[in-house]
Structure formats: structure tokens, C-alpha cells
Amino acid sequence: MRAGPLNRPGGPSPLSTAVLADRYLAPGETTCNDVFKRVAHALAAAEQPDQRAHFTRLFYANLLQGAIGAGRIMANAGSANHGTMVNCFVHPIGASEQSVADASDVERALHAAQRTLQMGGGVGYDFSVIAPADAEQATSNSGTGSVCAVLDSFDRVCATQALVNTRGGAQMAVLRCDHPDLATFITAKRGRRRWATFNLSVAVTDAFMRAVADDGLWCLQHRAVPNAQRLATGAHALSNGKWCYAVVPARQLWNMIAEAAHHSAEPGLLFIDTINAANDLAEIETIAATNPCGEQPLPPWGSCVLGPIDVSRWVQWPFGMGGQPLFDFVGLSRAVRVQVRMLDNAIEITRWPLPEHMHEAQAKRRIGVGVTGLADALTMMCLPYDAPAARCFAAQIGRCLRDSAYAASAALACERGPYPLFSPERSLAPGHFSAALPKAVCEAVAKHGLRNSHLLSLAPTGSVSLAFGDNCSSGIEPAFDWVYQRRVRIQHRAPQLYRTENRAYRLFRALYGQRAALPGYFVTARQIDGLDHLRMVATLQPFVDASISKTVLLPCSASCAQVAALLFHAWQLRLKGITIFRPDTGPDDVLSELPPLNGRLTCFC
């Protein structure tokens, strides 16, 4: 394909340079290219000795083209520090979900969390195995107390790590919709700075959602034995081996969830039955939690190596400058195939916080090829993010990612062997993700197997999009704005405000000048209806075997009823998860509009 104008608007912005230096440059490095060379060389070490030079060049070229690793890879691959290259982990709290976690279980889980956080991994947990506050175990000498008390302990461990690691730590707390402590969990962060290191999600089942739809009753239950006071109020044993603590209207809980999400963007929802039904390994694993951002549902001790590709780099003739905008799907497919190999290599050479992580990863070899710059690509293609044509184009990108990744994994399986737990009967069974692949790819999978159980994950990509994408739109999110201010903490200094320009906007200005009016296809997150945010996720989810991190940005004026309706519609669309954000403008906002011209920024770039 004939190359169009260069779709990068010159050198990096001061903000991108600052984030790069703070988070990713190793000693002696000064540019992105230095990082790319280090990462490519490190990941090629998994190859045969006589092939390492070749794959170093191949990985380096792919990195230059925008196929990068997630933050932990870019910071830690080939560096002298002891960090892991794996962003995503999920840890169990108890011995199994069929038991009640005791004090020793919690203590072991805290030690595992500390080790993982120290090495740079973010961790998600299902706290549903913790006894409720009204349980006999919680009032004995077990030491667990309640779900909220246990979360306090994990939050303190993570906050301590932030003192020695400028990036801090991130955790996800998940609680099932039938846990008796659900109401307290939902409201625990409201109006106060509690659990600052945690994102919160409620794992909702189809049964709960149907009870909400039908205005039915809902049983709050647990395996822990209720205390005497709770027994006196009518708690009783159930046939499933659990105890019913209370029966409440499902909509009462639903309204609490919607009010909390409306107020403070938490909790998000995980549609846990959809997640497990769509998992090709559902016969051998149960998923109850995700990583901190929600794009990677994982079993106990599960992990995933992530690597987004900046899809805006494959637009030819952006904005129609010099010809009709075109997209190089052949080039993107090549990049995906190289990306699969690079991420598979990362599993071999990364440092693992715990042996359990390594054993689980090597049995299933999960990786997550993703995207960033989707909104920029749509804008360069002259497509408004919220238009049906944009979703159709996004689906073409998703299909290219899926088909290319699975073809690459089958080719790797031919070369290196499939992942140990691979089963062709399971993976290619009707209704499974792999069964929807093109015939040629299915035949390759049937013949050679798959090197990786999961291959696709759409993550937020915040800081890597800043450092290596020159502030391209993050993940699959629409652009927050074209010119805005961003609050960033560098090292341990106070946060500074940077004037920030979106990369597609900068390119448009470089091509057409500062006075040219922005065409109608330049739309920002605030201009997009909440349903169109959901529709984009629903468009891409069929091509993603893991999940998608996506925040639905609503105007400040959005009502609680509107939030509730969007959350419910996300379930109807069979999404795997959803988070709603309604900004309440304040001095601590990470992203905000530019102040008036007489306003003052601490760092104007």
C-alpha cells in the first residue's frame, strides 16, 4: 500500500517526555528508542541462540511501529530491578470458594499480596469467602472480623508499597451480589478516603439481574454460621450448604449500587455468569475476580502479560489529506503476529512473584494483545466515535486482531508445542470462542493446537499511551478532550498540571493549521451518549476472549436513574463488566478542562 502522510505530529510533548523519564527509562536511557532496544533484546532471549539477533530486530521494528508492551514490560524487561513483566494477577483469599477463610488464610493472602505488589503487579481478589460481620466466625477469635475489616488490612499493605514504588500499587476488591456484607461494601468508600488502593466491583449473577428485572426478593447467604443474634432474627440453613442471613428486595440492593456508582463511580459491575460462560477453560477453572482494571478475568493465581498496539499508526492518508483515508489491515495483522510471539516470550523470562503464579501461567500461557489509539484511528478515518460506521470499522479491527492472534498462536504451537492444558475437543467445540474463527485458522488450531489459552485483552493503557503514544487516545476510550489539563505526579513531588493535546488533534493542526475548524467527526467522550459507549464495547467483545476495560463517561447532570438504566442495559448487551463515571469537577481531578486564559498552571507545556 502506498504510504500516506506521516501520522505522527512531530516530536513528543513535554508531558510524554516527563512520564517516559519517570516511569520507563532505565539508567543510561534518554529516548523511547532506547527503551525499545532494551525490551526487544530482553524478550528475544527466549529464542534459540542463533535466532536471537533476528528476533531482536523484529521485536524492535514492531515496537517502533506502535506494538508495545504494557507498563511492566516497558519498565522492567532487561532492567536491573527486580520487577515483574506481568501487570495482571488474581489471588485467592481462602483455600477454596467452598470454604470460609479464617485468620491464617488471610495472613497468607496478605503475604502473597505484599510480595506481588513489591514486584509491581496489580492484584484482584474475591473477598466473598470472608465471613460476614454477623457470622459466628467473625465474632470469635478467627481474626477475620468482616469483609470491610479484611480490606482495611490489604489496603494498608498496598499503601506501604507505594512509599517505595513511585507507581504505587493497585488492587481490585470483588464481592458477590449475595454476600451478607454487600450493603456495607457498596457504601464503604462513599464520602471518605477509604481503600484508596482499591477499585471495587460487585460480581452480579444472571439470577440477581432477573430478580431486579422482576422486582423479586433476593437471599443474602454464606457458608459461615450466623451468630446468635442473626439466628434469632430468622437466619436459616439452605439446601446448598449455605446459611440465609436475610431476604431483601433485589431492587433495594440494585438501587444502592446505582446510587454509589452515581456518586463516586464505584462499584463497577462484573457480570460473572457471562464471564464464566464465555471462558473457553470453564470446564477446568472458575473465575470469580479480575485484575484491578477489569480487562482480565482470571482464576486463582492467574496472571496475564499485556501488550497494546497503537492502531492509529496504521491509518493511511489521515483526515483525507492527499487521498481517501485507508487502513492497513495487512500491516496490523503482521504486527499482531509478532506481538503474540513477544508476549509469549515474556512468560518464559519474566520474574514471577510466587511459584503459584509461574505454575498457573505455564499451564495456560495467557497473554493479552490489545489496542490503544482506537478513537484517534476513527477520527483519522473521518468517522465519529459514536457513529454506526465507526463501530463497523472497529469490528473490522477487532476481527483482524482475533484472527491474526489465533493464527500466530497456532503457528507457535506448531513450533514450541501447545499450552499443556490445551484440548482441541474443548477449544473447537460449538459455542466456544475459537469455533468462530475462520476455517483456515480453525484447521491450524485443530492440527497444531494453541500456544496460549487466551490471547486478547483490551486494557486502559493510560501511561504507556502517554509515554510511547504521545498522548494518543487511551485503549478503546474516546478522547477525553482535544486540549485539556492533566494532573500528573512525578517521583514523590506534588502533582503538577500539564497542558495536554490529543495526538490526533495535534496531527490535524500540523496538516491543516491552527485556524481550521474541527470537522464534525472530532467528538469527545463528553459528547457521546452513554448507550453509544456501551455499543462500542458490545461491538468489540465478540472478538476479545478476555474482557474490555471501558468507562462510560456521563455528564455531571446525569441522574441516578440514568446510571441504573445504563448498568442494566450493559447486562442486557451481555457485556462482561461496566464502570460508570460521572465527573464532579474538583481540584483533585486527574483530567479537567483548561482554565480561562487568566488561569495559572503549575507546569504549562
Side-chain angles (χ1 to χ4, degrees):
M1 178 180 291
R2 183 184 177 190
L6 182 67
N7 60 3
R8 284 179 287 172
S13 68
L15 173 57
S16 296
T17 301
V19 173
L20 175 70
D22 180 53
R23 300 188 178 184
Y24 301 109
L25 294 183
E29 296 175 346
T30 58
T31 67
C32 287
N33 284 9
D34 293 333
V35 178
F36 296 159
K37 290 174 183 176
R38 165 173 54 81
V39 170
H41 182 267
L43 293 173
E47 304 289 344
Q48 294 297 318
D50 62 342
Q51 291 291 304
R52 288 173 187 168
H54 165 72
F55 283 105
T56 296
R57 292 190 294 270
L58 189 63
F59 294 160
Y60 177 65
N62 221 39
L63 288 158
L64 285 174
Q65 290 180 311
I68 58 177
R72 301 312 187 214
I73 290 177
M74 305 308 288
N76 297 333
S79 70
N81 64 42
H82 296 288
T84 181
M85 283 187 258
V86 185
N87 282 64
C88 306
F89 294 91
V90 161
H91 286 187
I93 301 297
S96 76
E97 63 179 10
Q98 305 302 320
S99 61
V100 180
D102 60 21
S104 61
D105 291 324
V106 172
E107 190 65 26
R108 282 191 294 271
L110 282 168
H111 285 303
Q114 185 174 32
R115 176 63 177 165
T116 305
L117 293 164
Q118 282 175 342
M119 292 185 64
V123 190
Y125 322 83
D126 174 25
F127 286 98
S128 303
V129 296
I130 301 297
D134 289 342
E136 182 179 273
Q137 287 92 330
T139 56
S140 68
N141 294 323
S142 66
T144 56
S146 67
V147 168
C148 293
V150 172
L151 259 75
D152 287 335
S153 301
F154 279 80
D155 186 54
R156 284 193 296 270
V157 165
C158 190
T160 301
Q161 305 312 309
L163 298 177
V164 295
N165 177 359
T166 58
R167 297 197 67 183
Q171 302 183 99
M172 169 70 85
V174 178
L175 197 68
R176 281 181 57 89
C177 58
D178 55 3
H179 194 284
D181 285 355
L182 181 63
T184 307
F185 175 81
I186 291 168
T187 58
K189 291 179 75 170
R190 186 165 181 172
R192 51 181 169 162
R193 294 183 179 275
R194 191 178 189 183
W195 304 339
T197 69
F198 271 102
N199 291 325
L200 306 185
S201 285
V202 175
V204 294
T205 61
D206 288 341
F208 174 75
M209 296 303 295
R210 287 192 292 268
V212 172
D214 297 338
D215 196 15
L217 296 177
W218 187 246
C219 176
L220 297 174
Q221 53 187 291
H222 204 273
R223 293 189 179 278
V225 179
N227 62 26
Q229 184 176 358
R230 174 58 69 179
L231 284 169
T233 63
H236 58 277
L238 301 170
S239 59
N240 59 7
K242 297 184 178 182
W243 289 81
C244 176
Y245 279 65
V247 176
V248 298
R251 286 189 185 176
Q252 176 182 315
L253 295 170
W254 178 253
N255 290 337
M256 291 181 68
I257 291 170
E259 287 169 7
H262 177 263
H263 181 269
S264 56
E266 289 188 284
L269 295 184
L270 298 178
F271 299 109
I272 204 67
D273 288 341
T274 301
I275 287 172
N276 279 292
N279 181 18
D280 270 5
L281 297 184
E283 295 175 15
I284 60 174
E285 67 180 24
T286 300
I287 290 174
T290 73
N291 72 311
C293 292
E295 74 275 6
Q296 196 65 50
L298 293 165
W301 302 118
S303 62
C304 187
V305 204
L306 303 178
I309 298 176
D310 180 358
V311 292
S312 70
R313 300 281 291 276
W314 305 99
V315 177
Q316 306 286 329
W317 308 115
F319 313 114
M321 185 70 171
Q324 181 71 22
L326 298 172
F327 192 87
D328 184 4
F329 284 102
V330 173
L332 176 60
S333 177
R334 291 195 190 108
V336 171
R337 290 168 185 256
V338 176
Q339 188 81 330
V340 167
R341 189 181 194 104
M342 190 179 81
L343 296 180
D344 188 69
N345 284 5
I347 295 173
E348 291 302 306
I349 66 172
T350 190
R351 301 177 182 95
W352 293 101
L354 297 165
E356 292 90 340
H357 297 144
M358 181 179 69
H359 297 150
E360 172 69 19
Q362 291 181 347
K364 300 168 186 173
R365 307 191 70 83
R366 275 179 164 92
I367 63 172
V369 178
V371 303
T372 191
L374 176 66
D376 281 12
L378 295 174
T379 304
M380 293 176 186
M381 293 293 294
C382 306
L383 297 171
Y385 185 96
D386 52 350
R391 292 192 288 274
C392 181
F393 180 73
Q396 294 179 60
I397 291 178
R399 183 175 289 105
C400 180
L401 289 171
R402 180 198 65 184
D403 297 351
S404 303
Y406 271 78
S409 189
L412 266 184
C414 178
E415 177 185 341
R416 298 175 173 178
Y419 67 92
L421 296 181
F422 173 76
S423 164
E425 294 79 16
R426 180 179 63 237
S427 287
L428 294 172
H432 281 233
F433 188 85
S434 300
L437 294 167
K439 181 180 178 181
V441 181
C442 283
E443 289 174 349
V445 172
K447 183 176 181 180
H448 305 299
L450 287 168
R451 180 66 174 170
N452 316 92
S453 68
H454 296 72
L455 286 136
L456 301 141
S457 180
L458 302 188
T461 73
S463 61
V464 291
S465 295
L466 272 173
F468 304 105
D470 197 22
N471 195 37
C472 65
S473 57
S474 173
I476 70 161
E477 300 287 354
F480 172 76
D481 210 337
W482 307 119
V483 183
Y484 57 98
Q485 63 184 17
R486 189 176 189 119
R487 184 180 299 273
V488 178
R489 183 187 297 275
I490 303 297
Q491 298 291 335
H492 292 294
R493 298 192 294 270
Q496 294 182 318
L497 291 177
Y498 287 80
R499 183 181 187 273
T500 306
E501 292 183 341
N502 166 267
R503 195 186 62 192
Y505 171 85
R506 288 180 64 206
L507 177 60
F508 182 86
R509 289 296 177 214
L511 294 173
Y512 291 97
Q514 295 298 316
R515 295 186 178 182
L518 292 180
Y521 52 77
F522 273 82
V523 293
T524 65
R526 300 176 195 224
Q527 296 171 304
I528 297 170
D529 184 79
L531 283 175
D532 285 319
H533 282 274
L534 295 184
R535 289 174 181 131
M536 181 60 80
V537 182
T539 295
L540 289 167
Q541 187 64 76
F543 305 106
V544 178
D545 52 16
S547 191
I548 301 173
S549 178
K550 175 78 179 75
T551 299
V552 177
L553 183 64
L554 298 180
C556 296
S557 59
S559 68
C560 184
Q562 288 174 303
V563 169
L566 282 171
L567 292 174
F568 193 84
H569 194 59
W571 173 66
Q572 292 177 312
L573 288 173
R574 307 308 294 169
L575 304 188
K576 293 183 178 180
I578 188 67
T579 300
I580 301 289
F581 181 61
R582 186 185 60 89
D584 184 11
T585 304
D588 295 330
D589 284 355
V590 175
L591 305 177
S592 57
E593 294 179 341
L594 284 174
L597 289 178
N598 61 352
R600 185 170 180 271
L601 300 179
T602 57
C603 183
F604 195 88
C605 306

